[in-house]
Amino acid sequence: MGYTRLAIIGYGHMSANTYCPLLHHFADRVKLTALVEPDEQKRAAALGTYAFERGCTSLQEMLSAVRPDAALVLTPAATHYGLIGPLLEAGVDVYTEKPDTPELVHARELVALAERKQCVYQVGQNRLFMTALVRAKEFLGDRPVDFAHVEKSKTIRRTDAAYLLDDGLHVMSPLIWLAGDVAEVRSVVHVPQRLLAVQFRLGSGGAANLVQHVDSGTWVERFLLHAEARSANILSPDTVELYESGQQVGESHVGRVKMLFSTAELLGFRDALAHFLDCVLSRQEPRGSARSLLRVHEVMDEVFRLGGIE
């Protein structure tokens, strides 16, 4: 297996604290070709910590000097469109933090560009790689989901579209992955600065509820799914209760010992990154592809339209 020439775009919070610390797991698979970071102090910190072959102040500077095989775009979402487009045009495979871009029209454009250039284009939907959700997915198998309830509660009091999209992708993406596509948005209740509640009709013929509560006393993220004779109750990040015909199957906890399970591992970031590197070599469509997230973005856009959320 050869090396993937990898570039890191941005050295902010997610890059410095989540993704770059995972790079040592892939030392036998990647060559750190370039780091792009306009901030001099951040760039110096990254170059002093990781074995990047070069540091650049801009994407244009990097592309004029070197063409990596793949790049991780780890900058704020508002900057993604202007970075991902040139990378895909150059034939570089891209993994980006979510959302890929806040604007639906731009998301469609980038997906089309990736397909035209035959690039691997994955968005960091890390929940799709969390052990708890993967276990539930495998357990439910191909059974149609009759009912799903998804809740995301936080203490941050914001319900504008930009925030609800960014925060909602954490749970809407797994909902569609676990329960199948949404056939119809049936009802939307939006209480500004408090909550968003949505009822969907699923393509399976079942129903699903989504609640994003932003005025709660604590952070909660949970998924409850019922299919024929099987149920899954997931409490992020590491608890999954599986039931078949009234009996619990297996243990509940994935693991909370910090010495054994880092946050990046419990939340699926390591496996998501490993999967991207696998797809760069195999040229397969990744789980968590930008195309799959585009469908989530379309559903959320319809939710915001019906709820009058701007």
Side-chain angles (χ1 to χ4, degrees), residues 8-17 20 34-52 54-58 74-76 79:
I8 304 295
I9 316 300
Y11 195 66
H13 176 76
M14 288 298 293
S15 181
N17 294 285
C20 283
L35 169 84
V36 177
E37 172 52 62
D39 185 280
E40 184 176 355
Q41 288 186 329
K42 292 180 180 178
R43 188 171 65 253
L47 295 176
T49 305
Y50 302 97
F52 290 101
R54 68 177 67 235
C56 303
T57 60
S58 70
L74 306 174
T75 59
T79 68

Side-chain angles (χ1 to χ4, degrees), residues 136-137 140-149 175-181 201-208 224-228 230:
K137 175 74 171 177
L140 294 173
D142 295 330
R143 289 171 172 78
V145 170
D146 297 318
F147 177 74
H149 175 78
L175 171 61
I176 290 179
W177 186 58
L178 291 166
D181 199 6
R201 181 171 63 84
L202 297 171
S204 66
L224 176 64
L225 301 104
H226 297 295
E228 182 182 357
R230 291 192 177 186

Side-chain angles (χ1 to χ4, degrees), residues 185-189 196-200 208-212 303:
V185 181
R186 296 296 302 269
S187 66
V188 178
V189 175
L196 171 68
V198 188
Q199 184 179 61
F200 303 106
N209 295 332
L210 165 69
V211 178
Q212 286 180 252
V303 168

Side-chain angles (χ1 to χ4, degrees), residues 212-224:
Q212 286 180 252
H213 188 247
V214 298
D215 189 23
S216 61
T218 187
W219 179 92
V220 177
E221 186 177 293
R222 70 175 83 241
F223 305 83
L224 176 64

Side-chain angles (χ1 to χ4, degrees), residues 104-116:
L104 181 57
V105 63
H106 289 162
R108 287 174 172 152
E109 181 181 329
L110 292 176
V111 167
L113 176 59
E115 292 179 350
R116 188 166 67 250

